[in-house]
Amino acid sequence: MKFGTKAIHAGVSPDSATGAIMTPIYQTSTYVQDEIGNHKGYAYSRSQNPTRHALEKNLAALENGKHGACFGSGMAAIDCVLKMLNPGDEVISTNDLYGGTYRIFKTIFEKYGIKFHFVGMQNADNIEGYINENTKLIWVETPTNPMMNIIDIAATAKISKKHGIMLAVDNTFATPYLQNPLDLGADIIMHSVTKYLGGHSDVVMGALICNDDTIANEMYRIQNSSGAVTAPMDSFLVLRSIKTLHLRMQRHCENGKVIANFLAAHPKVDKVYWPGFVSHPNHEIAKRQMSDFGGMISFTLVGDKMEDAHAILNKSKLFALAESLGGVESLIGHPATMTHAAIPKVDREAAGVVDSLIRLSVGVEDAEDLVSDLEDALS
Ligand SMILES: Cc1ncc(COP(=O)(O)O)c(C=O)c1O
C-alpha cells in the first residue's frame, strides 16, 4: 500500500462484534476470561488494549516497521529506550535536540550511571571519535529542534552497524510522511505523537517503532513493567488524526515553503533555518532522506535582541504563542525561554539557540493570512 492508503487502512479492520468501521474506544481496564489463562488476546489494559493495539499496528505500518508501542507521552517513549541500557553504558546524542530529551538524559539517567556525549552530527564522521566499548546507543534527532539541522541517517546507521550500536531516531519533526528512518538503517524510531501524528493539539502521546524482535521484546517488557501507556480514548483520537496525516503534511510543507521564503526576504530577519533552502548546509542530505521539507522553521532577528523577539511573539495573532508544534493551527515559540530553557545558556548558544531565535510551526491555514500575520508582527 502507498502512504495515504496505509494512513487510512493499516492496522484497522471493521469491529468484529458490530462491523463499526471506526475502531471502537475500548474503555476497559480488564477482560473476562473463559477460564484461567484463556482470553481473547487481552488480559489487562496496561499490557494491551484493542484501541491502542490498532494504533500501534497502524504506526508500525506507516514507518515500514514490524512492531509499534504507544506511551503516555513522547518523553515516556524516550524513557523506555533509555531503560534498555545498563549502568556504565554510554550514549552519543545529537547536541542540538529537544530540551526535554536533554533533561531526561542529564537529570534522570546520568545518575543511574549512563554517560552522555552531546555531539554535532551534521557531519556523521564526528560520531566515530566518541565511540568506545561502552557505547550502546546513538540518539539522533533530524531535523533538529529548533535549529533544523539535518543528520545523515544512512551514514550514521553505517557507523552504528559497524560497531554493533543501537541507533534510535526521533522522527517527530519529519513524521513518517517525510522520512522513514528504519528504511535508512535505524533500529528504533521515536515519535512525540503529540505533534504531527496527533495533529490537532488535543493529545499527549509517544510511540516507538522497530523491526528487530529482540528490541521489540525489550520495548514491550518495559512498556508493560513501567506502565507509561496511553489511554484508549487518546488512541482513538490519534487513529482518527492519522487518516488525514498525508493531506495535512502536504499543506504544512506548501505553507512552510511560502513562509520560509517570505522570512528570507524580510529586512528585519537575519538567518532563516529551513532545510528546503539550497543554501542549507545539509540540503542535499535532506533531499535524499526526506520527501519534502516540512513546516518547521526557525529564524533570528537582525541585532539579536531578546526583547525584539518577545515583541514579535506578543504581537502575532494567527501564529499563537504556545509550546508544542505540528497541529493544524500555526504556533510561534521562543526556544531560549520556552522549550530549551532547561539547557544552560552557554550550551544552547553554542548550538545556535540565541536570544532572538524564534521557532514557527506553520499550520494548514491559508498561506496569505499567515504571511500577513507575520508581516504585522515584524512591523
Ligand atoms: C522533537 C521532540 N521530541 C520529543 C518530544 C517530547 O514529546 P512529548 O511532549 O510528547 O512528551 C518533543 C516535545 O516537544 C519534541 O519536540
Side-chain angles (χ1 to χ4, degrees):
M1 282 191 277
K2 298 257 192 246
F3 190 86
T5 314
K6 279 199 286 192
I8 294 166
H9 294 287
V12 298
S13 44
D15 179 47
S16 54
T18 63
I21 192 160
M22 295 307 298
T23 309
I25 304 164
Y26 284 92
Q27 194 69 43
T28 186
S29 61
T30 192
Y31 307 81
V32 176
Q33 307 187 10
D34 292 337
E35 56 190 26
I36 289 178
N38 184 6
H39 55 69
K40 298 179 172 61
Y42 300 96
Y44 185 59
S45 277
R46 170 162 38 74
S47 314
Q48 196 45 284
N49 171 279
T51 321
R52 189 178 98 211
H53 198 194
L55 175 60
E56 290 176 340
K57 285 188 287 183
N58 177 269
L59 285 171
L62 290 184
E63 286 288 14
N64 302 327
K66 251 167 87 182
H67 310 283
C70 287
F71 297 83
S73 67
M75 293 317 304
I78 296 171
D79 181 79
C80 175
V81 177
L82 269 290
K83 283 176 177 165
M84 295 180 192
L85 306 181
N86 292 303
D89 288 351
E90 297 191 14
V91 178
I92 303 173
S93 165
T94 314
N95 63 345
D96 149 39
L97 81 171
Y98 171 59
T101 309
Y102 177 87
R103 181 174 55 206
I104 196 172
F105 287 176
K106 290 294 285 180
T107 71
I108 305 285
F109 285 100
E110 210 166 65
K111 73 174 185 232
Y112 294 113
I114 295 170
K115 190 168 170 192
F116 295 90
H117 304 271
F118 296 93
V119 177
M121 294 183 174
Q122 290 93 300
N123 179 353
D125 295 342
N126 286 350
I127 297 169
E128 221 153 357
Y130 292 86
I131 294 177
N132 61 43
E133 73 276 12
N134 296 323
T135 312
K136 294 289 159 25
L137 174 68
I138 299 176
W139 184 272
V140 165
E141 200 178 291
T142 182
T144 62
N145 181 4
M147 297 310 299
M148 306 305 299
N149 285 314
I150 298 292
I151 294 161
D152 189 334
I153 299 172
T156 309
K158 224 166 146 185
I159 295 167
S160 70
K161 284 198 175 15
K162 181 172 143 197
H163 295 275
I165 300 165
M166 198 160 64
L167 172 62
V169 176
D170 183 336
N171 205 28
T172 300
F173 268 37
T175 82
Y177 175 80
L178 296 177
Q179 176 173 281
N180 298 118
L182 293 181
D183 294 349
L184 299 167
D187 300 295
I188 302 180
I189 293 171
M190 177 264 152
H191 279 287
S192 170
V193 177
T194 317
K195 310 296 163 19
Y196 288 102
L197 296 172
H200 297 76
S201 309
D202 52 8
V203 170
V204 172
M205 190 190 292
L208 297 178
I209 297 119
C210 65
N211 269 324
D212 183 90
D213 295 343
T214 311
I215 295 175
N217 285 341
E218 273 299 271
M219 174 175 83
Y220 291 126
R221 184 183 68 78
I222 296 164
Q223 183 196 37
N224 185 39
S225 305
S226 288
V229 292
T230 193
M233 175 72 191
D234 287 1
S235 301
F236 170 85
L237 285 171
V238 174
L239 272 171
R240 186 186 210 261
S241 294
I242 285 176
K243 290 181 194 297
T244 56
L245 178 64
H246 50 308
L247 307 175
R248 289 185 282 110
M249 287 308 296
Q250 194 181 337
R251 184 63 166 263
H252 282 297
C253 292
E254 286 165 11
N255 284 357
K257 186 174 182 182
V258 172
I259 299 293
N261 283 306
F262 160 76
L263 290 169
H266 199 285
K268 289 194 179 163
V269 172
D270 186 9
K271 297 191 180 72
V272 183
Y273 301 98
W274 182 65
F277 287 133
V278 177
S279 58
H280 185 288
N282 277 350
H283 175 70
E284 284 307 315
I285 297 167
K287 250 173 50 183
R288 208 162 55 228
Q289 69 186 18
M290 299 169 74
S291 58
D292 207 334
F293 304 110
M296 294 303 300
I297 301 166
S298 294
F299 64 100
T300 59
L301 301 172
V302 173
D304 191 34
K305 291 209 183 72
M306 181 154 329
E307 57 269 28
D308 289 348
H310 283 179
I312 290 166
L313 271 88
N314 289 332
K315 209 167 166 202
S316 64
K317 291 193 173 61
L318 277 178
F319 279 91
L321 172 56
E323 305 266 359
S324 203
L325 61 107
V328 288
E329 56 288 292
S330 294
L331 299 180
I332 188 164
H334 186 241
T337 47
M338 295 167 77
T339 47
H340 289 62
I343 300 180
K345 186 172 159 77
V346 275
D347 294 346
R348 74 165 162 80
E349 289 201 330
V353 185
V354 297
D355 286 349
S356 73
L357 188 83
I358 293 173
R359 192 191 73 181
L360 301 178
S361 170
V362 180
V364 300
E365 301 94 336
D366 286 300
E368 293 84 347
D369 292 329
L370 296 178
V371 167
S372 65
D373 189 42
L374 287 177
E375 227 155 26
D376 286 350
L378 280 157
S379 69

PDB file of all heavy atoms in Angstrom, residues 65-88:
ATOM      1  N   GLY A  65       7.697  -0.635   9.710  1.00  0.00           N
ATOM      2  CA  GLY A  65       8.259  -1.426  10.807  1.00  0.00           C
ATOM      3  C   GLY A  65       7.356  -2.594  11.152  1.00  0.00           C
ATOM      4  O   GLY A  65       6.203  -2.679  10.717  1.00  0.00           O
ATOM      5  N   LYS A  66       7.901  -3.521  11.970  1.00  0.00           N
ATOM      6  CA  LYS A  66       7.121  -4.703  12.377  1.00  0.00           C
ATOM      7  C   LYS A  66       6.373  -4.465  13.683  1.00  0.00           C
ATOM      8  O   LYS A  66       5.299  -4.989  13.907  1.00  0.00           O
ATOM      9  CB  LYS A  66       8.101  -5.877  12.600  1.00  0.00           C
ATOM     10  CG  LYS A  66       8.017  -6.963  11.544  1.00  0.00           C
ATOM     11  CD  LYS A  66       9.191  -7.913  11.645  1.00  0.00           C
ATOM     12  CE  LYS A  66       8.942  -9.045  12.638  1.00  0.00           C
ATOM     13  NZ  LYS A  66      10.124  -9.927  12.742  1.00  0.00           N
ATOM     14  N   HIS A  67       7.013  -3.708  14.604  1.00  0.00           N
ATOM     15  CA  HIS A  67       6.477  -3.587  15.960  1.00  0.00           C
ATOM     16  C   HIS A  67       6.279  -2.122  16.346  1.00  0.00           C
ATOM     17  O   HIS A  67       7.168  -1.304  16.123  1.00  0.00           O
ATOM     18  CB  HIS A  67       7.451  -4.199  16.975  1.00  0.00           C
ATOM     19  CG  HIS A  67       7.903  -5.579  16.600  1.00  0.00           C
ATOM     20  ND1 HIS A  67       7.113  -6.693  16.776  1.00  0.00           N
ATOM     21  CD2 HIS A  67       9.065  -6.022  16.053  1.00  0.00           C
ATOM     22  CE1 HIS A  67       7.775  -7.771  16.359  1.00  0.00           C
ATOM     23  NE2 HIS A  67       8.963  -7.386  15.917  1.00  0.00           N
ATOM     24  N   GLY A  68       5.144  -1.831  16.971  1.00  0.00           N
ATOM     25  CA  GLY A  68       4.900  -0.479  17.466  1.00  0.00           C
ATOM     26  C   GLY A  68       4.438  -0.527  18.908  1.00  0.00           C
ATOM     27  O   GLY A  68       3.812  -1.502  19.338  1.00  0.00           O
ATOM     28  N   ALA A  69       4.781   0.509  19.658  1.00  0.00           N
ATOM     29  CA  ALA A  69       4.321   0.600  21.053  1.00  0.00           C
ATOM     30  C   ALA A  69       3.995   2.053  21.353  1.00  0.00           C
ATOM     31  O   ALA A  69       4.761   2.954  20.983  1.00  0.00           O
ATOM     32  CB  ALA A  69       5.409   0.101  22.011  1.00  0.00           C
ATOM     33  N   CYS A  70       2.860   2.285  22.003  1.00  0.00           N
ATOM     34  CA  CYS A  70       2.458   3.664  22.320  1.00  0.00           C
ATOM     35  C   CYS A  70       2.581   3.926  23.815  1.00  0.00           C
ATOM     36  O   CYS A  70       2.337   3.042  24.639  1.00  0.00           O
ATOM     37  CB  CYS A  70       1.024   3.921  21.862  1.00  0.00           C
ATOM     38  SG  CYS A  70       0.940   4.047  20.078  1.00  0.00           S
ATOM     39  N   PHE A  71       2.918   5.166  24.140  1.00  0.00           N
ATOM     40  CA  PHE A  71       3.209   5.561  25.516  1.00  0.00           C
ATOM     41  C   PHE A  71       2.416   6.828  25.869  1.00  0.00           C
ATOM     42  O   PHE A  71       1.889   7.508  24.995  1.00  0.00           O
ATOM     43  CB  PHE A  71       4.711   5.836  25.661  1.00  0.00           C
ATOM     44  CG  PHE A  71       5.557   4.625  25.405  1.00  0.00           C
ATOM     45  CD1 PHE A  71       5.892   4.255  24.095  1.00  0.00           C
ATOM     46  CD2 PHE A  71       5.994   3.820  26.440  1.00  0.00           C
ATOM     47  CE1 PHE A  71       6.649   3.125  23.840  1.00  0.00           C
ATOM     48  CE2 PHE A  71       6.758   2.687  26.201  1.00  0.00           C
ATOM     49  CZ  PHE A  71       7.091   2.342  24.898  1.00  0.00           C
ATOM     50  N   GLY A  72       2.415   7.147  27.160  1.00  0.00           N
ATOM     51  CA  GLY A  72       1.658   8.292  27.652  1.00  0.00           C
ATOM     52  C   GLY A  72       2.185   9.635  27.185  1.00  0.00           C
ATOM     53  O   GLY A  72       1.489  10.649  27.300  1.00  0.00           O
ATOM     54  N   SER A  73       3.403   9.692  26.668  1.00  0.00           N
ATOM     55  CA  SER A  73       3.972  10.931  26.113  1.00  0.00           C
ATOM     56  C   SER A  73       5.209  10.549  25.310  1.00  0.00           C
ATOM     57  O   SER A  73       5.709   9.412  25.424  1.00  0.00           O
ATOM     58  CB  SER A  73       4.370  11.902  27.232  1.00  0.00           C
ATOM     59  OG  SER A  73       5.449  11.378  27.969  1.00  0.00           O
ATOM     60  N   GLY A  74       5.706  11.514  24.554  1.00  0.00           N
ATOM     61  CA  GLY A  74       6.966  11.282  23.848  1.00  0.00           C
ATOM     62  C   GLY A  74       8.080  10.999  24.846  1.00  0.00           C
ATOM     63  O   GLY A  74       8.936  10.142  24.613  1.00  0.00           O
ATOM     64  N   MET A  75       8.071  11.712  25.972  1.00  0.00           N
ATOM     65  CA  MET A  75       9.113  11.511  26.981  1.00  0.00           C
ATOM     66  C   MET A  75       9.068  10.087  27.539  1.00  0.00           C
ATOM     67  O   MET A  75      10.107   9.494  27.822  1.00  0.00           O
ATOM     68  CB  MET A  75       8.981  12.524  28.123  1.00  0.00           C
ATOM     69  CG  MET A  75       9.258  13.974  27.738  1.00  0.00           C
ATOM     70  SD  MET A  75      10.704  14.235  26.672  1.00  0.00           S
ATOM     71  CE  MET A  75      11.983  13.480  27.644  1.00  0.00           C
ATOM     72  N   ALA A  76       7.875   9.537  27.709  1.00  0.00           N
ATOM     73  CA  ALA A  76       7.757   8.158  28.217  1.00  0.00           C
ATOM     74  C   ALA A  76       8.324   7.169  27.201  1.00  0.00           C
ATOM     75  O   ALA A  76       8.898   6.136  27.578  1.00  0.00           O
ATOM     76  CB  ALA A  76       6.295   7.836  28.526  1.00  0.00           C
ATOM     77  N   ALA A  77       8.198   7.495  25.909  1.00  0.00           N
ATOM     78  CA  ALA A  77       8.781   6.631  24.874  1.00  0.00           C
ATOM     79  C   ALA A  77      10.313   6.694  24.939  1.00  0.00           C
ATOM     80  O   ALA A  77      10.997   5.671  24.843  1.00  0.00           O
ATOM     81  CB  ALA A  77       8.275   7.060  23.494  1.00  0.00           C
ATOM     82  N   ILE A  78      10.846   7.914  25.133  1.00  0.00           N
ATOM     83  CA  ILE A  78      12.308   8.075  25.251  1.00  0.00           C
ATOM     84  C   ILE A  78      12.796   7.333  26.499  1.00  0.00           C
ATOM     85  O   ILE A  78      13.808   6.628  26.478  1.00  0.00           O
ATOM     86  CB  ILE A  78      12.679   9.574  25.314  1.00  0.00           C
ATOM     87  CG1 ILE A  78      12.293  10.268  23.999  1.00  0.00           C
ATOM     88  CG2 ILE A  78      14.166   9.764  25.613  1.00  0.00           C
ATOM     89  CD1 ILE A  78      12.413  11.786  24.008  1.00  0.00           C
ATOM     90  N   ASP A  79      12.059   7.475  27.589  1.00  0.00           N
ATOM     91  CA  ASP A  79      12.373   6.798  28.853  1.00  0.00           C
ATOM     92  C   ASP A  79      12.500   5.285  28.619  1.00  0.00           C
ATOM     93  O   ASP A  79      13.410   4.636  29.142  1.00  0.00           O
ATOM     94  CB  ASP A  79      11.222   7.119  29.827  1.00  0.00           C
ATOM     95  CG  ASP A  79      11.399   6.521  31.201  1.00  0.00           C
ATOM     96  OD1 ASP A  79      12.174   7.097  31.988  1.00  0.00           O
ATOM     97  OD2 ASP A  79      10.773   5.486  31.480  1.00  0.00           O
ATOM     98  N   CYS A  80      11.607   4.735  27.806  1.00  0.00           N
ATOM     99  CA  CYS A  80      11.628   3.290  27.518  1.00  0.00           C
ATOM    100  C   CYS A  80      12.921   2.899  26.814  1.00  0.00           C
ATOM    101  O   CYS A  80      13.551   1.903  27.164  1.00  0.00           O
ATOM    102  CB  CYS A  80      10.405   2.917  26.676  1.00  0.00           C
ATOM    103  SG  CYS A  80      10.401   1.192  26.138  1.00  0.00           S
ATOM    104  N   VAL A  81      13.349   3.706  25.836  1.00  0.00           N
ATOM    105  CA  VAL A  81      14.592   3.365  25.111  1.00  0.00           C
ATOM    106  C   VAL A  81      15.784   3.391  26.073  1.00  0.00           C
ATOM    107  O   VAL A  81      16.619   2.491  26.070  1.00  0.00           O
ATOM    108  CB  VAL A  81      14.837   4.352  23.942  1.00  0.00           C
ATOM    109  CG1 VAL A  81      16.168   4.040  23.254  1.00  0.00           C
ATOM    110  CG2 VAL A  81      13.700   4.287  22.933  1.00  0.00           C
ATOM    111  N   LEU A  82      15.827   4.408  26.933  1.00  0.00           N
ATOM    112  CA  LEU A  82      16.968   4.538  27.855  1.00  0.00           C
ATOM    113  C   LEU A  82      16.985   3.399  28.876  1.00  0.00           C
ATOM    114  O   LEU A  82      18.042   2.984  29.337  1.00  0.00           O
ATOM    115  CB  LEU A  82      16.922   5.906  28.549  1.00  0.00           C
ATOM    116  CG  LEU A  82      17.678   7.041  27.838  1.00  0.00           C
ATOM    117  CD1 LEU A  82      19.190   6.811  27.925  1.00  0.00           C
ATOM    118  CD2 LEU A  82      17.306   7.199  26.371  1.00  0.00           C
ATOM    119  N   LYS A  83      15.813   2.872  29.216  1.00  0.00           N
ATOM    120  CA  LYS A  83      15.741   1.758  30.173  1.00  0.00           C
ATOM    121  C   LYS A  83      16.218   0.442  29.561  1.00  0.00           C
ATOM    122  O   LYS A  83      16.336  -0.556  30.269  1.00  0.00           O
ATOM    123  CB  LYS A  83      14.319   1.622  30.729  1.00  0.00           C
ATOM    124  CG  LYS A  83      14.018   2.678  31.783  1.00  0.00           C
ATOM    125  CD  LYS A  83      12.577   2.595  32.243  1.00  0.00           C
ATOM    126  CE  LYS A  83      12.297   3.609  33.345  1.00  0.00           C
ATOM    127  NZ  LYS A  83      10.849   3.796  33.544  1.00  0.00           N
ATOM    128  N   MET A  84      16.482   0.445  28.272  1.00  0.00           N
ATOM    129  CA  MET A  84      17.092  -0.751  27.653  1.00  0.00           C
ATOM    130  C   MET A  84      18.584  -0.817  27.977  1.00  0.00           C
ATOM    131  O   MET A  84      19.234  -1.822  27.712  1.00  0.00           O
ATOM    132  CB  MET A  84      16.894  -0.719  26.130  1.00  0.00           C
ATOM    133  CG  MET A  84      15.437  -0.827  25.698  1.00  0.00           C
ATOM    134  SD  MET A  84      15.275  -0.780  23.894  1.00  0.00           S
ATOM    135  CE  MET A  84      13.499  -0.556  23.729  1.00  0.00           C
ATOM    136  N   LEU A  85      19.150   0.287  28.506  1.00  0.00           N
ATOM    137  CA  LEU A  85      20.590   0.360  28.782  1.00  0.00           C
ATOM    138  C   LEU A  85      20.888  -0.058  30.219  1.00  0.00           C
ATOM    139  O   LEU A  85      19.988  -0.215  31.047  1.00  0.00           O
ATOM    140  CB  LEU A  85      21.096   1.784  28.531  1.00  0.00           C
ATOM    141  CG  LEU A  85      20.795   2.377  27.148  1.00  0.00           C
ATOM    142  CD1 LEU A  85      21.383   3.774  27.029  1.00  0.00           C
ATOM    143  CD2 LEU A  85      21.329   1.476  26.029  1.00  0.00           C
ATOM    144  N   ASN A  86      22.171  -0.200  30.525  1.00  0.00           N
ATOM    145  CA  ASN A  86      22.635  -0.575  31.871  1.00  0.00           C
ATOM    146  C   ASN A  86      23.632   0.462  32.384  1.00  0.00           C
ATOM    147  O   ASN A  86      24.259   1.168  31.583  1.00  0.00           O
ATOM    148  CB  ASN A  86      23.335  -1.941  31.811  1.00  0.00           C
ATOM    149  CG  ASN A  86      22.346  -3.051  31.499  1.00  0.00           C
ATOM    150  OD1 ASN A  86      21.362  -3.232  32.214  1.00  0.00           O
ATOM    151  ND2 ASN A  86      22.584  -3.764  30.416  1.00  0.00           N
ATOM    152  N   PRO A  87      23.808   0.520  33.720  1.00  0.00           N
ATOM    153  CA  PRO A  87      24.830   1.426  34.269  1.00  0.00           C
ATOM    154  C   PRO A  87      26.188   1.148  33.619  1.00  0.00           C
ATOM    155  O   PRO A  87      26.540  -0.018  33.400  1.00  0.00           O
ATOM    156  CB  PRO A  87      24.845   1.072  35.769  1.00  0.00           C
ATOM    157  CG  PRO A  87      23.493   0.503  36.030  1.00  0.00           C
ATOM    158  CD  PRO A  87      23.087  -0.204  34.770  1.00  0.00           C
ATOM    159  N   GLY A  88      26.903   2.240  33.289  1.00  0.00           N
ATOM    160  CA  GLY A  88      28.204   2.097  32.629  1.00  0.00           C
ATOM    161  C   GLY A  88      28.111   2.250  31.114  1.00  0.00           C
ATOM    162  O   GLY A  88      29.107   2.518  30.443  1.00  0.00           O
TER     163      GLY A  88
END
